[in-house]
Amino acid sequence: MTTIFNLNEFTALRFLFSATLGRMPVVLAVDPLFPPFRRILDGMAERAVAKGRARWIIDLCPELQHLWDYPTRTFLYDVFGQTEDWHNAYYEFDRADTVVPDYAMTYKKATCNHAKPRHYHTLLLGAALAAKKRGKVRVVGLAGDFVGLMNAYWSGSLTPALKTMWVPRRTINALVTLLIQIFALAWVVSRTQPIISKPKDYFFGADYCEDQRDHRLYHEVADGGPLLLVYRHPKSMYRPPQDDLSPYEFQDSRAGRFGPMQAVAAMAMVIRDGAGLFRHFAGSQPALYFRIATLPFRRAVLRAFFNQFRPKFFWGRDDYNEDHVLRHQELRRVGGVSMGICHGYPAYAYLFPQWRYISFDRYYVHGQAVYEREMKKSWPDNMKVVAVGSFGATRSDYALRHAPKPNDIVVYSAVFVGNPKMVDFVRGLAEAFPERKVLLQIKHNFIDTPVGKAFARDCMESLSNIELVTAPLFDLTRQARYAFSDPSTVIVEALQFGQYAFFADLMAEQKKSVYREYPAICVGSAEDAATRIHAIEAGEKTYPLEALSDLVDLSGRVLFDVIREEMKLPLQLTQDDLEVVHG
């Protein structure tokens, strides 16, 4: 008998007993009912496996090693897209809109983030159970929503092996509510002062996350007025900011204060909203309910912050979590404008759960294609969605986007690194064009890993015209006319900056892709890619740039100028821009 454990507080002792007796239990996931216990349970699982007394689930499904190595590949299987109807019904989205309208969007976001890691484990567990030679298998510790997700994705075929673990959900959730309410009320009291200073006004505030792309934006809008950078995590406060940010003010996100009457109102909100959320969601799985129960406290933290600090515009990079929805609501209370950007392209599938529910006043995207086809269904009608292209380009990159390019080829690879089909694709291109350079860029996540090194070696072996490159993306857009990539944001960035970019559609496992809506830029093999290049150069076909304008903004507008215009700041023209304008 093989026992697979979904490790939590209720299954921990049984797991230890099984490991101690040498029964080699299998760990599917560490899935605590009470998230603060995750570190303890993680340590328990890791020690048992390290001592050879337990195994990870990958031992039962080695064919999914590519997922184990890089769980982000889960998106290729479109688990969320195929189970969204079940998801919305199970978590009673329609009811949430009615019973907790102020928290409905946040609640939906919370359920998506709660379910996201389970999509990965759904694939692993399904593969393990589907294997015919495993013998008798028992799975313990699955929450009801996990079992529901498994049955929704696998169409009920695994039902006999799946049992829902009983837990006293209402009792646990009542205790969680009490603890969080006590903590939240104590926090409000600790931030209360008899007299608080008048709120300080700023032109621009930002969710500081130490990203150079954001730094460029800060400098671009600094002429509008004072800037405030808000540490998202306390640990960031102990890393000194980079020198180029020294003119700007930094604050901890929990630096806000309440006056006496504000504190009374905040405590009333915490109690009232906490009680309402418990009343409507007390039967939720505890791990999800913990997210829900913290929402009034997180609102109180934001409310205290905006009592003291009042940015006219606030730039959020946390579109993937619940806080940005609450912050939008609290900013609206004080007259601020919430702005955000989707810094990646949903190239693996149409639906990414972390982007299903977004709430800003203005949200910047690469292009309108995915929004119009899918995201419009769940994004607020009053959110202005603006296509701006890449977030990573500088003004110089924009100025050089039409610079002459050699007829060489660049292949960008990330999610397909290690895939034999991608190796064949790269080698096939090099063999088809021996007189040209084939530049191979492997994403930084993979380049120094054993899989990445082996992939580079297999691609380049005995072929002298393949060159492994590490130059930044926007430099590479000027070093080759043709670009091919596995599903990635790189495709739209490359075509935005003047390359003839194509999607290497090589994996049957990838269920959905917006790029497949544009067959003229999809290639299924190196031979197909070579045919496209020859057809363009022979004048038989042209690259369909105009037909791709909804995939990514092709207007040539500089991102920073679009944002400045939204902020009513004057257009800034650098020397590079003037050269472009005057030809």
Side-chain angles (χ1 to χ4, degrees), residues 70-98:
Y70 190 53
T72 301
R73 290 185 172 115
T74 298
F75 292 123
L76 296 170
Y77 293 78
D78 193 36
V79 178
F80 183 61
Q82 295 185 54
T83 60
E84 187 181 21
D85 288 343
W86 166 85
H87 181 108
N88 295 355
Y90 183 90
Y91 294 112
E92 299 182 306
F93 278 15
D94 289 344
R95 177 171 172 267
D97 289 329
T98 302

PDB file of all heavy atoms in Angstrom, residues 70-98:
ATOM      1  N   TYR A  70      10.214  23.123 -12.771  1.00  0.00           N
ATOM      2  CA  TYR A  70       9.767  24.505 -13.018  1.00  0.00           C
ATOM      3  C   TYR A  70       8.242  24.522 -12.961  1.00  0.00           C
ATOM      4  O   TYR A  70       7.556  24.415 -13.988  1.00  0.00           O
ATOM      5  CB  TYR A  70      10.272  24.968 -14.391  1.00  0.00           C
ATOM      6  CG  TYR A  70      10.078  26.442 -14.670  1.00  0.00           C
ATOM      7  CD1 TYR A  70      10.534  27.418 -13.780  1.00  0.00           C
ATOM      8  CD2 TYR A  70       9.458  26.873 -15.838  1.00  0.00           C
ATOM      9  CE1 TYR A  70      10.373  28.769 -14.046  1.00  0.00           C
ATOM     10  CE2 TYR A  70       9.292  28.226 -16.121  1.00  0.00           C
ATOM     11  CZ  TYR A  70       9.750  29.171 -15.217  1.00  0.00           C
ATOM     12  OH  TYR A  70       9.595  30.506 -15.489  1.00  0.00           O
ATOM     13  N   PRO A  71       7.674  24.653 -11.757  1.00  0.00           N
ATOM     14  CA  PRO A  71       6.213  24.562 -11.606  1.00  0.00           C
ATOM     15  C   PRO A  71       5.420  25.561 -12.445  1.00  0.00           C
ATOM     16  O   PRO A  71       4.236  25.330 -12.704  1.00  0.00           O
ATOM     17  CB  PRO A  71       6.008  24.808 -10.104  1.00  0.00           C
ATOM     18  CG  PRO A  71       7.277  24.341  -9.471  1.00  0.00           C
ATOM     19  CD  PRO A  71       8.354  24.735 -10.444  1.00  0.00           C
ATOM     20  N   THR A  72       6.048  26.651 -12.881  1.00  0.00           N
ATOM     21  CA  THR A  72       5.344  27.615 -13.719  1.00  0.00           C
ATOM     22  C   THR A  72       4.818  26.965 -15.004  1.00  0.00           C
ATOM     23  O   THR A  72       3.853  27.444 -15.603  1.00  0.00           O
ATOM     24  CB  THR A  72       6.275  28.795 -14.058  1.00  0.00           C
ATOM     25  OG1 THR A  72       6.687  29.410 -12.835  1.00  0.00           O
ATOM     26  CG2 THR A  72       5.581  29.843 -14.906  1.00  0.00           C
ATOM     27  N   ARG A  73       5.429  25.873 -15.408  1.00  0.00           N
ATOM     28  CA  ARG A  73       4.948  25.160 -16.606  1.00  0.00           C
ATOM     29  C   ARG A  73       3.519  24.645 -16.426  1.00  0.00           C
ATOM     30  O   ARG A  73       2.862  24.280 -17.406  1.00  0.00           O
ATOM     31  CB  ARG A  73       5.890  23.998 -16.930  1.00  0.00           C
ATOM     32  CG  ARG A  73       7.260  24.432 -17.438  1.00  0.00           C
ATOM     33  CD  ARG A  73       8.108  23.233 -17.862  1.00  0.00           C
ATOM     34  NE  ARG A  73       9.335  23.647 -18.513  1.00  0.00           N
ATOM     35  CZ  ARG A  73      10.566  23.437 -18.026  1.00  0.00           C
ATOM     36  NH1 ARG A  73      10.705  22.809 -16.867  1.00  0.00           N
ATOM     37  NH2 ARG A  73      11.623  23.852 -18.688  1.00  0.00           N
ATOM     38  N   THR A  74       3.035  24.617 -15.194  1.00  0.00           N
ATOM     39  CA  THR A  74       1.654  24.201 -14.949  1.00  0.00           C
ATOM     40  C   THR A  74       0.671  24.994 -15.800  1.00  0.00           C
ATOM     41  O   THR A  74      -0.346  24.465 -16.262  1.00  0.00           O
ATOM     42  CB  THR A  74       1.305  24.382 -13.456  1.00  0.00           C
ATOM     43  OG1 THR A  74       2.163  23.552 -12.672  1.00  0.00           O
ATOM     44  CG2 THR A  74      -0.142  24.015 -13.169  1.00  0.00           C
ATOM     45  N   PHE A  75       0.964  26.274 -16.031  1.00  0.00           N
ATOM     46  CA  PHE A  75       0.039  27.110 -16.795  1.00  0.00           C
ATOM     47  C   PHE A  75      -0.187  26.569 -18.208  1.00  0.00           C
ATOM     48  O   PHE A  75      -1.237  26.810 -18.809  1.00  0.00           O
ATOM     49  CB  PHE A  75       0.560  28.541 -16.873  1.00  0.00           C
ATOM     50  CG  PHE A  75       0.546  29.270 -15.553  1.00  0.00           C
ATOM     51  CD1 PHE A  75       1.712  29.808 -15.026  1.00  0.00           C
ATOM     52  CD2 PHE A  75      -0.631  29.415 -14.831  1.00  0.00           C
ATOM     53  CE1 PHE A  75       1.703  30.474 -13.818  1.00  0.00           C
ATOM     54  CE2 PHE A  75      -0.647  30.083 -13.623  1.00  0.00           C
ATOM     55  CZ  PHE A  75       0.526  30.614 -13.105  1.00  0.00           C
ATOM     56  N   LEU A  76       0.790  25.854 -18.755  1.00  0.00           N
ATOM     57  CA  LEU A  76       0.634  25.309 -20.097  1.00  0.00           C
ATOM     58  C   LEU A  76      -0.554  24.354 -20.183  1.00  0.00           C
ATOM     59  O   LEU A  76      -1.148  24.187 -21.254  1.00  0.00           O
ATOM     60  CB  LEU A  76       1.909  24.573 -20.522  1.00  0.00           C
ATOM     61  CG  LEU A  76       3.185  25.419 -20.667  1.00  0.00           C
ATOM     62  CD1 LEU A  76       4.391  24.518 -20.841  1.00  0.00           C
ATOM     63  CD2 LEU A  76       3.071  26.378 -21.847  1.00  0.00           C
ATOM     64  N   TYR A  77      -0.887  23.726 -19.058  1.00  0.00           N
ATOM     65  CA  TYR A  77      -1.950  22.712 -19.053  1.00  0.00           C
ATOM     66  C   TYR A  77      -3.336  23.326 -18.866  1.00  0.00           C
ATOM     67  O   TYR A  77      -4.332  22.607 -18.882  1.00  0.00           O
ATOM     68  CB  TYR A  77      -1.668  21.685 -17.957  1.00  0.00           C
ATOM     69  CG  TYR A  77      -0.434  20.848 -18.232  1.00  0.00           C
ATOM     70  CD1 TYR A  77       0.842  21.360 -18.016  1.00  0.00           C
ATOM     71  CD2 TYR A  77      -0.540  19.548 -18.710  1.00  0.00           C
ATOM     72  CE1 TYR A  77       1.980  20.601 -18.267  1.00  0.00           C
ATOM     73  CE2 TYR A  77       0.588  18.782 -18.961  1.00  0.00           C
ATOM     74  CZ  TYR A  77       1.849  19.315 -18.736  1.00  0.00           C
ATOM     75  OH  TYR A  77       2.963  18.557 -18.993  1.00  0.00           O
ATOM     76  N   ASP A  78      -3.399  24.627 -18.637  1.00  0.00           N
ATOM     77  CA  ASP A  78      -4.663  25.367 -18.566  1.00  0.00           C
ATOM     78  C   ASP A  78      -5.631  24.754 -17.551  1.00  0.00           C
ATOM     79  O   ASP A  78      -6.833  24.638 -17.801  1.00  0.00           O
ATOM     80  CB  ASP A  78      -5.322  25.409 -19.952  1.00  0.00           C
ATOM     81  CG  ASP A  78      -6.471  26.413 -20.029  1.00  0.00           C
ATOM     82  OD1 ASP A  78      -6.369  27.478 -19.402  1.00  0.00           O
ATOM     83  OD2 ASP A  78      -7.472  26.116 -20.704  1.00  0.00           O
ATOM     84  N   VAL A  79      -5.114  24.380 -16.386  1.00  0.00           N
ATOM     85  CA  VAL A  79      -5.974  23.781 -15.367  1.00  0.00           C
ATOM     86  C   VAL A  79      -7.063  24.764 -14.941  1.00  0.00           C
ATOM     87  O   VAL A  79      -8.235  24.391 -14.810  1.00  0.00           O
ATOM     88  CB  VAL A  79      -5.146  23.329 -14.151  1.00  0.00           C
ATOM     89  CG1 VAL A  79      -6.050  22.737 -13.068  1.00  0.00           C
ATOM     90  CG2 VAL A  79      -4.090  22.297 -14.567  1.00  0.00           C
ATOM     91  N   PHE A  80      -6.681  26.018 -14.745  1.00  0.00           N
ATOM     92  CA  PHE A  80      -7.669  27.001 -14.313  1.00  0.00           C
ATOM     93  C   PHE A  80      -8.730  27.224 -15.381  1.00  0.00           C
ATOM     94  O   PHE A  80      -9.933  27.281 -15.084  1.00  0.00           O
ATOM     95  CB  PHE A  80      -6.989  28.314 -13.948  1.00  0.00           C
ATOM     96  CG  PHE A  80      -7.925  29.367 -13.418  1.00  0.00           C
ATOM     97  CD1 PHE A  80      -8.649  29.153 -12.258  1.00  0.00           C
ATOM     98  CD2 PHE A  80      -8.101  30.569 -14.088  1.00  0.00           C
ATOM     99  CE1 PHE A  80      -9.522  30.116 -11.766  1.00  0.00           C
ATOM    100  CE2 PHE A  80      -8.969  31.541 -13.605  1.00  0.00           C
ATOM    101  CZ  PHE A  80      -9.683  31.310 -12.440  1.00  0.00           C
ATOM    102  N   GLY A  81      -8.312  27.355 -16.633  1.00  0.00           N
ATOM    103  CA  GLY A  81      -9.270  27.574 -17.702  1.00  0.00           C
ATOM    104  C   GLY A  81     -10.273  26.440 -17.823  1.00  0.00           C
ATOM    105  O   GLY A  81     -11.460  26.663 -18.106  1.00  0.00           O
ATOM    106  N   GLN A  82      -9.804  25.207 -17.594  1.00  0.00           N
ATOM    107  CA  GLN A  82     -10.682  24.051 -17.737  1.00  0.00           C
ATOM    108  C   GLN A  82     -11.562  23.799 -16.512  1.00  0.00           C
ATOM    109  O   GLN A  82     -12.511  23.013 -16.587  1.00  0.00           O
ATOM    110  CB  GLN A  82      -9.842  22.804 -18.044  1.00  0.00           C
ATOM    111  CG  GLN A  82      -9.125  22.892 -19.379  1.00  0.00           C
ATOM    112  CD  GLN A  82      -8.384  21.620 -19.731  1.00  0.00           C
ATOM    113  OE1 GLN A  82      -8.947  20.530 -19.740  1.00  0.00           O
ATOM    114  NE2 GLN A  82      -7.086  21.751 -20.008  1.00  0.00           N
ATOM    115  N   THR A  83     -11.239  24.446 -15.408  1.00  0.00           N
ATOM    116  CA  THR A  83     -12.017  24.209 -14.181  1.00  0.00           C
ATOM    117  C   THR A  83     -12.660  25.479 -13.635  1.00  0.00           C
ATOM    118  O   THR A  83     -13.224  25.467 -12.549  1.00  0.00           O
ATOM    119  CB  THR A  83     -11.122  23.601 -13.081  1.00  0.00           C
ATOM    120  OG1 THR A  83     -10.043  24.509 -12.781  1.00  0.00           O
ATOM    121  CG2 THR A  83     -10.550  22.260 -13.512  1.00  0.00           C
ATOM    122  N   GLU A  84     -12.604  26.569 -14.395  1.00  0.00           N
ATOM    123  CA  GLU A  84     -13.093  27.833 -13.852  1.00  0.00           C
ATOM    124  C   GLU A  84     -14.585  27.785 -13.530  1.00  0.00           C
ATOM    125  O   GLU A  84     -15.029  28.354 -12.525  1.00  0.00           O
ATOM    126  CB  GLU A  84     -12.804  28.991 -14.806  1.00  0.00           C
ATOM    127  CG  GLU A  84     -13.163  30.335 -14.176  1.00  0.00           C
ATOM    128  CD  GLU A  84     -12.933  31.513 -15.079  1.00  0.00           C
ATOM    129  OE1 GLU A  84     -12.872  31.330 -16.314  1.00  0.00           O
ATOM    130  OE2 GLU A  84     -12.829  32.643 -14.560  1.00  0.00           O
ATOM    131  N   ASP A  85     -15.376  27.135 -14.365  1.00  0.00           N
ATOM    132  CA  ASP A  85     -16.813  27.066 -14.078  1.00  0.00           C
ATOM    133  C   ASP A  85     -17.058  26.365 -12.746  1.00  0.00           C
ATOM    134  O   ASP A  85     -17.888  26.809 -11.938  1.00  0.00           O
ATOM    135  CB  ASP A  85     -17.552  26.339 -15.199  1.00  0.00           C
ATOM    136  CG  ASP A  85     -17.634  27.169 -16.472  1.00  0.00           C
ATOM    137  OD1 ASP A  85     -17.408  28.391 -16.396  1.00  0.00           O
ATOM    138  OD2 ASP A  85     -17.919  26.589 -17.536  1.00  0.00           O
ATOM    139  N   TRP A  86     -16.342  25.260 -12.534  1.00  0.00           N
ATOM    140  CA  TRP A  86     -16.452  24.575 -11.229  1.00  0.00           C
ATOM    141  C   TRP A  86     -16.001  25.505 -10.118  1.00  0.00           C
ATOM    142  O   TRP A  86     -16.655  25.620  -9.070  1.00  0.00           O
ATOM    143  CB  TRP A  86     -15.602  23.293 -11.220  1.00  0.00           C
ATOM    144  CG  TRP A  86     -15.429  22.769  -9.829  1.00  0.00           C
ATOM    145  CD1 TRP A  86     -16.289  21.953  -9.147  1.00  0.00           C
ATOM    146  CD2 TRP A  86     -14.372  23.087  -8.913  1.00  0.00           C
ATOM    147  NE1 TRP A  86     -15.825  21.731  -7.873  1.00  0.00           N
ATOM    148  CE2 TRP A  86     -14.655  22.424  -7.701  1.00  0.00           C
ATOM    149  CE3 TRP A  86     -13.214  23.860  -9.001  1.00  0.00           C
ATOM    150  CZ2 TRP A  86     -13.822  22.507  -6.576  1.00  0.00           C
ATOM    151  CZ3 TRP A  86     -12.387  23.951  -7.895  1.00  0.00           C
ATOM    152  CH2 TRP A  86     -12.694  23.292  -6.706  1.00  0.00           C
ATOM    153  N   HIS A  87     -14.874  26.178 -10.310  1.00  0.00           N
ATOM    154  CA  HIS A  87     -14.294  27.076  -9.320  1.00  0.00           C
ATOM    155  C   HIS A  87     -15.311  28.140  -8.893  1.00  0.00           C
ATOM    156  O   HIS A  87     -15.569  28.338  -7.702  1.00  0.00           O
ATOM    157  CB  HIS A  87     -13.049  27.736  -9.916  1.00  0.00           C
ATOM    158  CG  HIS A  87     -12.330  28.680  -9.005  1.00  0.00           C
ATOM    159  ND1 HIS A  87     -11.120  28.392  -8.429  1.00  0.00           N
ATOM    160  CD2 HIS A  87     -12.654  29.929  -8.563  1.00  0.00           C
ATOM    161  CE1 HIS A  87     -10.739  29.415  -7.674  1.00  0.00           C
ATOM    162  NE2 HIS A  87     -11.651  30.357  -7.743  1.00  0.00           N
ATOM    163  N   ASN A  88     -15.908  28.809  -9.871  1.00  0.00           N
ATOM    164  CA  ASN A  88     -16.849  29.886  -9.563  1.00  0.00           C
ATOM    165  C   ASN A  88     -18.079  29.369  -8.829  1.00  0.00           C
ATOM    166  O   ASN A  88     -18.612  30.045  -7.940  1.00  0.00           O
ATOM    167  CB  ASN A  88     -17.268  30.592 -10.843  1.00  0.00           C
ATOM    168  CG  ASN A  88     -16.115  31.316 -11.521  1.00  0.00           C
ATOM    169  OD1 ASN A  88     -15.009  31.382 -10.988  1.00  0.00           O
ATOM    170  ND2 ASN A  88     -16.361  31.847 -12.703  1.00  0.00           N
ATOM    171  N   ALA A  89     -18.530  28.173  -9.209  1.00  0.00           N
ATOM    172  CA  ALA A  89     -19.708  27.605  -8.549  1.00  0.00           C
ATOM    173  C   ALA A  89     -19.374  27.135  -7.135  1.00  0.00           C
ATOM    174  O   ALA A  89     -20.134  27.383  -6.187  1.00  0.00           O
ATOM    175  CB  ALA A  89     -20.264  26.442  -9.377  1.00  0.00           C
ATOM    176  N   TYR A  90     -18.226  26.466  -6.976  1.00  0.00           N
ATOM    177  CA  TYR A  90     -17.862  25.928  -5.666  1.00  0.00           C
ATOM    178  C   TYR A  90     -17.700  27.048  -4.644  1.00  0.00           C
ATOM    179  O   TYR A  90     -18.169  26.946  -3.501  1.00  0.00           O
ATOM    180  CB  TYR A  90     -16.566  25.113  -5.765  1.00  0.00           C
ATOM    181  CG  TYR A  90     -16.164  24.470  -4.451  1.00  0.00           C
ATOM    182  CD1 TYR A  90     -16.603  23.201  -4.120  1.00  0.00           C
ATOM    183  CD2 TYR A  90     -15.372  25.152  -3.527  1.00  0.00           C
ATOM    184  CE1 TYR A  90     -16.263  22.615  -2.905  1.00  0.00           C
ATOM    185  CE2 TYR A  90     -15.035  24.584  -2.317  1.00  0.00           C
ATOM    186  CZ  TYR A  90     -15.482  23.311  -2.012  1.00  0.00           C
ATOM    187  OH  TYR A  90     -15.159  22.744  -0.807  1.00  0.00           O
ATOM    188  N   TYR A  91     -17.042  28.122  -5.047  1.00  0.00           N
ATOM    189  CA  TYR A  91     -16.782  29.225  -4.115  1.00  0.00           C
ATOM    190  C   TYR A  91     -17.905  30.268  -4.118  1.00  0.00           C
ATOM    191  O   TYR A  91     -17.765  31.323  -3.506  1.00  0.00           O
ATOM    192  CB  TYR A  91     -15.434  29.872  -4.445  1.00  0.00           C
ATOM    193  CG  TYR A  91     -14.259  28.941  -4.203  1.00  0.00           C
ATOM    194  CD1 TYR A  91     -13.501  28.458  -5.272  1.00  0.00           C
ATOM    195  CD2 TYR A  91     -13.938  28.519  -2.922  1.00  0.00           C
ATOM    196  CE1 TYR A  91     -12.437  27.596  -5.061  1.00  0.00           C
ATOM    197  CE2 TYR A  91     -12.871  27.649  -2.701  1.00  0.00           C
ATOM    198  CZ  TYR A  91     -12.126  27.196  -3.774  1.00  0.00           C
ATOM    199  OH  TYR A  91     -11.071  26.326  -3.561  1.00  0.00           O
ATOM    200  N   GLU A  92     -18.989  29.983  -4.798  1.00  0.00           N
ATOM    201  CA  GLU A  92     -20.214  30.782  -4.758  1.00  0.00           C
ATOM    202  C   GLU A  92     -19.957  32.260  -5.071  1.00  0.00           C
ATOM    203  O   GLU A  92     -20.294  33.164  -4.307  1.00  0.00           O
ATOM    204  CB  GLU A  92     -20.893  30.646  -3.385  1.00  0.00           C
ATOM    205  CG  GLU A  92     -21.296  29.218  -3.061  1.00  0.00           C
ATOM    206  CD  GLU A  92     -22.009  29.106  -1.726  1.00  0.00           C
ATOM    207  OE1 GLU A  92     -21.452  29.562  -0.696  1.00  0.00           O
ATOM    208  OE2 GLU A  92     -23.132  28.581  -1.719  1.00  0.00           O
ATOM    209  N   PHE A  93     -19.396  32.493  -6.255  1.00  0.00           N
ATOM    210  CA  PHE A  93     -19.068  33.856  -6.637  1.00  0.00           C
ATOM    211  C   PHE A  93     -20.311  34.738  -6.742  1.00  0.00           C
ATOM    212  O   PHE A  93     -20.286  35.909  -6.364  1.00  0.00           O
ATOM    213  CB  PHE A  93     -18.309  33.856  -7.968  1.00  0.00           C
ATOM    214  CG  PHE A  93     -16.833  33.577  -7.826  1.00  0.00           C
ATOM    215  CD1 PHE A  93     -16.308  33.054  -6.644  1.00  0.00           C
ATOM    216  CD2 PHE A  93     -15.963  33.842  -8.864  1.00  0.00           C
ATOM    217  CE1 PHE A  93     -14.960  32.796  -6.514  1.00  0.00           C
ATOM    218  CE2 PHE A  93     -14.610  33.606  -8.735  1.00  0.00           C
ATOM    219  CZ  PHE A  93     -14.103  33.070  -7.563  1.00  0.00           C
ATOM    220  N   ASP A  94     -21.385  34.191  -7.300  1.00  0.00           N
ATOM    221  CA  ASP A  94     -22.598  35.005  -7.440  1.00  0.00           C
ATOM    222  C   ASP A  94     -23.108  35.459  -6.075  1.00  0.00           C
ATOM    223  O   ASP A  94     -23.564  36.595  -5.911  1.00  0.00           O
ATOM    224  CB  ASP A  94     -23.680  34.203  -8.159  1.00  0.00           C
ATOM    225  CG  ASP A  94     -23.367  34.001  -9.634  1.00  0.00           C
ATOM    226  OD1 ASP A  94     -22.494  34.722 -10.148  1.00  0.00           O
ATOM    227  OD2 ASP A  94     -23.978  33.116 -10.257  1.00  0.00           O
ATOM    228  N   ARG A  95     -23.017  34.573  -5.105  1.00  0.00           N
ATOM    229  CA  ARG A  95     -23.473  34.913  -3.751  1.00  0.00           C
ATOM    230  C   ARG A  95     -22.583  35.989  -3.137  1.00  0.00           C
ATOM    231  O   ARG A  95     -23.064  36.903  -2.455  1.00  0.00           O
ATOM    232  CB  ARG A  95     -23.482  33.655  -2.885  1.00  0.00           C
ATOM    233  CG  ARG A  95     -23.877  33.871  -1.434  1.00  0.00           C
ATOM    234  CD  ARG A  95     -24.060  32.529  -0.740  1.00  0.00           C
ATOM    235  NE  ARG A  95     -24.246  32.695   0.693  1.00  0.00           N
ATOM    236  CZ  ARG A  95     -23.262  32.644   1.587  1.00  0.00           C
ATOM    237  NH1 ARG A  95     -22.016  32.415   1.189  1.00  0.00           N
ATOM    238  NH2 ARG A  95     -23.506  32.810   2.865  1.00  0.00           N
ATOM    239  N   ALA A  96     -21.280  35.904  -3.377  1.00  0.00           N
ATOM    240  CA  ALA A  96     -20.345  36.887  -2.806  1.00  0.00           C
ATOM    241  C   ALA A  96     -20.679  38.296  -3.283  1.00  0.00           C
ATOM    242  O   ALA A  96     -20.583  39.261  -2.513  1.00  0.00           O
ATOM    243  CB  ALA A  96     -18.914  36.534  -3.178  1.00  0.00           C
ATOM    244  N   ASP A  97     -21.069  38.433  -4.542  1.00  0.00           N
ATOM    245  CA  ASP A  97     -21.415  39.751  -5.072  1.00  0.00           C
ATOM    246  C   ASP A  97     -22.558  40.388  -4.285  1.00  0.00           C
ATOM    247  O   ASP A  97     -22.641  41.611  -4.165  1.00  0.00           O
ATOM    248  CB  ASP A  97     -21.816  39.644  -6.541  1.00  0.00           C
ATOM    249  CG  ASP A  97     -20.637  39.339  -7.451  1.00  0.00           C
ATOM    250  OD1 ASP A  97     -19.522  39.761  -7.116  1.00  0.00           O
ATOM    251  OD2 ASP A  97     -20.839  38.676  -8.475  1.00  0.00           O
ATOM    252  N   THR A  98     -23.425  39.536  -3.730  1.00  0.00           N
ATOM    253  CA  THR A  98     -24.599  40.028  -3.013  1.00  0.00           C
ATOM    254  C   THR A  98     -24.338  40.241  -1.537  1.00  0.00           C
ATOM    255  O   THR A  98     -24.687  41.281  -0.965  1.00  0.00           O
ATOM    256  CB  THR A  98     -25.772  39.041  -3.179  1.00  0.00           C
ATOM    257  OG1 THR A  98     -26.050  38.888  -4.573  1.00  0.00           O
ATOM    258  CG2 THR A  98     -27.006  39.544  -2.459  1.00  0.00           C
TER     259      THR A  98
END
